[in-house]
Amino acid sequence: MKPAMSRKNRVWTRGEIEGLIADGHMIIILGDQVLKVDAWLPYHPGGNKSILHMVGRDATDEITALHSKEAQAHMQRYVIGRIHGKWDNFLPPIQGGTFSTLVSEDVDDEAVSAEDVSSSGQSTPPSTVFDPEETGEQVRLRRAGNDTPVSRASSLSPSELELGKFRSAEASIAHAISSDVSKYPRLDKRSQDEVASKYRQLDEKLQSEGLYDCPYTSYAVEFLRYSVLFALFLTCLHYSYYALSGLFLGLLWHLLAFTVHDAGHLSITHGFHTDSCIGIFIADFLGGLSIGWWKRNHNVHHIVTNSPEHDPDIQHMPFFAISSRFFSSLRSSYYDRDMNLDAAARFFIKYQHYLYYPILLFGRFNLYRLAWSYLLDPEQAPRKGAAWWHRYLEMTGQIFFWYWYGYRTVYLSIPTWSSRIIFLLISHMVTAPLHVQLTLTHFAMSSADLGVDESFAQKMVRTTMDVDCPPWLDFVHGGLNFQVVHHLFPRLPRHNLRRAQPYVKEFCRDLGIPYVIFGFTRGNKEVISRLGEVADQLRVLEECRKVAAKDLIEGRHGH
């Protein structure tokens, strides 16, 4: 016991921790504890990507938000010591951070400041086309619309005018969106520590109010809705009303997806295996989707929300781009591939504000593809630990789903191919509002990277918005209309999110953080507007390139 105790009490310097990370170790800070989680990577039920985004960072708030008390207690076996004082975050290697093994162990902890380490910048190098290297103040000025002065316009070449037009458009957009840096608390340590401290106090307040306790009577009402829709689906199928039957089945899938979401966050029974099995039964057996894929994807989304390089929930190339940053063919750290701005992407993005709803009508088909890509790849699903068997149960569920839906329902119960296609399309397209809901609360929000100093709570509020609706419509939105509350407290049962919303609004008012909330119609307008603005930027960029190419050719001819 003594060696173990002494190991856990060892005080690590910043330089020593940097050296460990440089050697390939997965070091995370939890409170004042240092965790070395290398051995946990293949066991983590939520996949390894979410862990990799926390390497070198103080992950206290992320871990508390996304993990139960039992999971946090389990993490104690990976403690290798502690730190002294407040921790200054490194940029994780997965986000581009680099680490040196040459830092001497006897260097004072305070001597290695954020400016001294090579990993303290943005998560990606600035784009040479869109993001020239600027100081933080210059970025703020550019985003406020203080770009190329108008008085210089007369002396610019046509290509420079086009580029200036592009930058001006981007500056205008960046100034207009809710993530304008000037509206949020400063990014200095003191200000962000205050945000984190009050966020933790709010979490304790919600716990004391009993808002983490699941209201099971609400699920009784949900089960009644599911039963009615299931009965209507079977009745219409029996009497050959195939379009109506597909409609009711699609509505059932739409509502069931919210319970899968609850189960994935362990907010129903709070038991890992119980909620996981509920999620597998609904997602895989009844819906043909994969909750294992969803967990791996969704955990990353909750940690790096709206980051173009890292958040898979906004990486929809070639169909959508919510920021001009996608024009530089960013590399996705989640999919480990470049999101190329190829010919297909240029076509879809230029018309994305018109194609938004038509493409989302087919969103469920893409979820099937993602489910099987996850289940057939042994590197993605946990191979060890408590969740090792979930993958095989999910595969069983997939076989069952395609038996009852594909074979028994579509093939055997519907006599003609025309009716089968109608049933298939309607049952899937009716679920499109779910995909609208998932994109609505993020697409119109900030995708700016404010660096490693921004607190978890501020980032969640800055990149997420709520959708306002009357209480009787909450079941249609499935709790996803309270995205700000949900992102701050992911394990909070969705039927308690409305009760928690006033506390979160008060928290934001107290700190001076904008709380963005729109009605459903206004929210859709904001998303379409954002997509249209990015489409316009791409058109201007292409015109700029054409003019530049013409100038180059004419210049050669002049010689």
Side-chain angles (χ1 to χ4, degrees):
M1 289 296 292
K2 286 184 178 180
M5 289 298 294
S6 60
R7 185 185 70 135
K8 290 192 174 185
N9 287 327
R10 173 180 174 173
V11 177
W12 291 83
T13 68
R14 182 178 178 82
E16 290 171 334
I17 290 176
E18 182 179 8
L20 288 175
I21 298 173
D23 288 337
H25 296 295
M26 306 297 140
I27 307 298
I28 294 173
I29 308 301
L30 175 59
D32 67 344
Q33 295 179 315
V34 179
L35 276 60
K36 179 173 168 287
V37 296
D38 307 38
W40 178 239
L41 285 183
Y43 293 86
H44 187 225
N48 63 344
K49 296 287 187 179
S50 54
I51 293 179
L52 296 178
H53 282 290
M54 290 291 96
V55 172
R57 294 177 57 95
D58 181 346
T60 304
D61 289 334
E62 287 86 347
I63 288 174
T64 303
L66 292 166
H67 295 82
S68 65
K69 298 294 184 183
E70 291 75 17
Q72 293 177 51
H74 176 79
M75 295 176 194
Q76 291 300 306
R77 68 177 63 187
Y78 301 103
V79 174
I80 61 170
R82 57 189 178 87
I83 58 170
H84 178 70
K86 293 287 186 180
W87 179 253
D88 289 324
N89 289 328
F90 286 114
L91 186 70
I94 193 175
Q95 296 182 15
T98 56
F99 297 81
S100 173
T101 58
L102 302 178
V103 178
S104 174
E105 291 191 3
D106 59 358
V107 174
D108 191 331
D109 196 21
E110 296 296 324
V112 187
S113 65
E115 289 78 18
D116 293 328
V117 294
S118 57
S119 58
S120 60
Q122 296 180 345
S123 59
T124 56
S127 163
T128 55
V129 179
F130 307 110
D131 300 304
E133 291 193 53
E134 301 164 313
T135 64
E137 184 60 27
Q138 287 172 322
V139 171
R140 290 185 179 90
L141 288 173
R142 180 168 62 80
R143 284 178 175 164
N146 296 320
D147 208 355
T148 306
V150 177
S151 60
R152 289 183 53 208
S154 59
S155 63
L156 297 177
S157 69
S159 59
E160 287 175 317
L161 282 171
E162 290 293 339
L163 185 57
K165 191 192 303 181
F166 173 81
R167 287 177 175 168
S168 178
E170 181 157 67
S172 175
I173 293 167
H175 177 61
I177 61 177
S178 62
S179 62
D180 183 1
V181 177
S182 64
K183 297 178 182 178
Y184 289 82
R186 294 169 58 87
L187 294 175
D188 60 273
K189 192 97 180 126
R190 185 173 182 178
S191 300
Q192 293 304 305
D193 282 348
E194 181 185 10
V195 174
S197 175
K198 291 191 175 182
Y199 166 67
R200 294 166 190 174
Q201 293 172 22
L202 176 58
D203 185 47
E204 292 175 358
K205 174 72 172 176
L206 298 184
Q207 290 186 49
S208 67
E209 294 289 332
L211 294 184
Y212 276 91
D213 299 331
C214 182
Y216 291 111
T217 53
S218 298
Y219 278 104
V221 176
E222 298 289 348
F223 184 76
L224 181 62
R225 291 192 186 103
Y226 303 156
S227 300
V228 169
L229 289 172
F230 184 68
L232 289 171
F233 150 63
L234 289 180
T235 301
C236 291
L237 184 67
H238 177 74
Y239 288 104
S240 302
Y241 296 112
Y242 301 123
L244 276 177
S245 178
L247 172 70
F248 291 125
L249 178 58
L251 291 174
L252 175 62
W253 280 340
H254 172 76
L255 295 184
L256 284 174
F258 301 130
T259 301
V260 174
H261 184 256
D262 299 340
H265 281 295
L266 308 185
S267 63
I268 302 177
T269 70
H270 307 300
F272 174 68
H273 286 301
T274 305
D275 277 3
S276 294
C277 286
I278 291 173
I280 290 172
F281 174 72
I282 297 174
D284 294 87
F285 283 78
L286 300 183
L289 310 181
S290 168
I291 192 171
W293 164 82
W294 177 87
K295 282 186 179 182
R296 187 175 191 266
N297 178 285
H298 202 65
N299 286 344
V300 174
H301 164 67
H302 269 272
I303 290 172
V304 288
T305 309
N306 262 28
S307 170
E309 301 93 337
H310 311 299
D311 182 1
D313 273 17
I314 64 168
Q315 294 176 349
H316 300 297
M317 295 287 277
F319 300 108
F320 302 123
I322 66 168
S323 167
S324 60
R325 292 172 67 189
F326 285 100
F327 298 171
S328 54
S329 297
L330 297 175
R331 184 166 186 81
S332 167
S333 64
Y334 184 83
Y335 294 108
D336 293 320
R337 60 175 172 80
D338 293 332
M339 296 176 284
N340 294 315
L341 186 70
D342 53 20
R346 286 195 295 271
F347 170 80
F348 283 112
I349 292 172
K350 280 192 287 189
Y351 302 101
Q352 61 181 357
H353 46 310
Y354 300 115
L355 297 173
Y356 175 66
Y357 296 113
I359 288 175
L360 292 186
L361 287 172
F362 297 91
R364 193 174 185 88
F365 292 103
N366 186 48
L367 295 181
Y368 294 145
R369 179 187 67 82
L370 292 169
W372 279 106
S373 67
Y374 168 82
L375 293 172
L376 295 177
D377 184 354
E379 296 299 319
Q380 293 192 45
R383 291 161 290 159
K384 303 177 182 179
W388 71 267
W389 53 273
H390 290 181
R391 177 177 174 234
Y392 300 101
L393 182 60
E394 286 200 76
M395 287 182 170
T396 304
Q398 293 292 322
I399 294 170
F400 179 82
F401 170 78
W402 289 108
Y403 171 74
W404 80 259
Y405 177 74
Y407 179 66
R408 299 285 303 179
T409 303
V410 176
Y411 184 72
L412 289 185
S413 301
I414 302 176
T416 65
W417 278 106
S418 59
S419 297
R420 289 168 185 161
I421 292 172
I422 290 173
F423 176 85
L424 177 74
L425 291 178
I426 290 179
S427 63
H428 284 69
M429 290 180 174
V430 167
T431 64
L434 171 64
H435 304 287
V436 172
Q437 181 74 63
L438 292 171
T439 56
L440 177 65
T441 48
H442 294 294
F443 270 25
M445 297 302 290
S446 173
S447 60
D449 178 7
L450 299 190
V452 296
D453 295 324
E454 186 178 26
S455 64
F456 169 76
Q458 179 169 309
K459 182 176 179 65
M460 293 304 102
V461 180
R462 181 174 61 83
T463 56
T464 309
M465 77 174 188
D466 276 2
V467 176
D468 193 25
C469 73
W472 64 271
L473 263 181
D474 281 351
F475 81 95
V476 176
H477 294 279
L480 298 182
N481 49 320
F482 301 105
Q483 274 294 290
V484 176
V485 187
H486 171 64
H487 265 258
L488 288 171
F489 308 101
R491 293 183 296 108
L492 208 67
R494 68 170 148 122
H495 299 99
N496 291 338
L497 293 176
R498 183 174 285 276
R499 290 174 57 196
Q501 189 184 50
Y503 294 105
V504 175
K505 286 184 175 180
E506 182 182 357
F507 160 79
C508 290
R509 280 195 301 268
D510 185 32
L511 289 166
I513 300 176
Y515 189 104
V516 181
I517 180 169
F518 292 128
F520 185 75
T521 302
R522 170 70 187 280
N524 274 267
K525 288 180 179 178
E526 291 291 327
V527 170
I528 297 300
S529 175
R530 166 64 65 83
L531 294 174
E533 288 165 347
V534 175
D536 288 341
Q537 290 179 59
L538 181 57
R539 290 192 185 93
V540 171
L541 175 63
E542 291 194 339
E543 286 299 316
C544 171
R545 287 174 172 167
K546 288 177 183 177
V547 171
K550 183 179 178 182
D551 286 350
L552 181 61
I553 293 172
E554 290 178 349
R556 286 177 178 171
H557 288 170
H559 289 293

